[in-house]
Amino acid sequence: MELPDWIDLLQWPAMAASLLAAWLVASNLKARRNVGFWVFLGSNVLWGLWGWHDGAWALIALQVALAALNIRGVSKTEPPEHQQAKA
């Protein structure tokens, strides 16, 4: 039995990060939602690397689009001290 390429293993932490991020983003606490968006961004990178390796171009395009939405989420849930500096 052949061992999987190490990049093939990225799908597992990517999946776990996606689930954790979804749990955090569903929180009532703004700070926890912010962390969730950061975790989602990490999962976007992992999925993108895995997709590149497998030639899954639609998955890569999806991760780029989702990363843009997650960046928006981070900016909307940033801590109050950062929001006041913008005003």
Side-chain angles (χ1 to χ4, degrees):
M1 184 170 147
E2 188 176 318
L3 290 176
D5 193 352
W6 72 270
I7 291 185
D8 284 335
L9 299 176
L10 285 179
Q11 64 186 313
W12 295 106
M15 184 267 306
S18 297
L19 288 174
L20 174 62
W23 177 270
L24 292 167
V25 167
S27 175
N28 288 329
L29 299 174
K30 193 173 191 178
R32 195 171 286 165
R33 288 192 311 269
N34 182 268
V35 170
F37 285 116
W38 282 107
V39 174
F40 263 136
L41 284 168
S43 76
N44 296 141
V45 170
L46 292 174
W47 280 121
L49 290 170
W50 184 80
W52 185 273
H53 177 262
D54 268 25
W57 309 117
L59 177 66
I60 294 168
L62 173 64
Q63 295 310 309
V64 169
L66 291 173
L69 294 173
N70 291 325
I71 290 167
R72 180 178 182 263
V74 165
S75 70
K76 289 188 164 285
T77 59
E78 63 187 3
E81 62 270 6
H82 289 92
Q83 290 175 349
Q84 291 172 355
K86 288 182 179 179

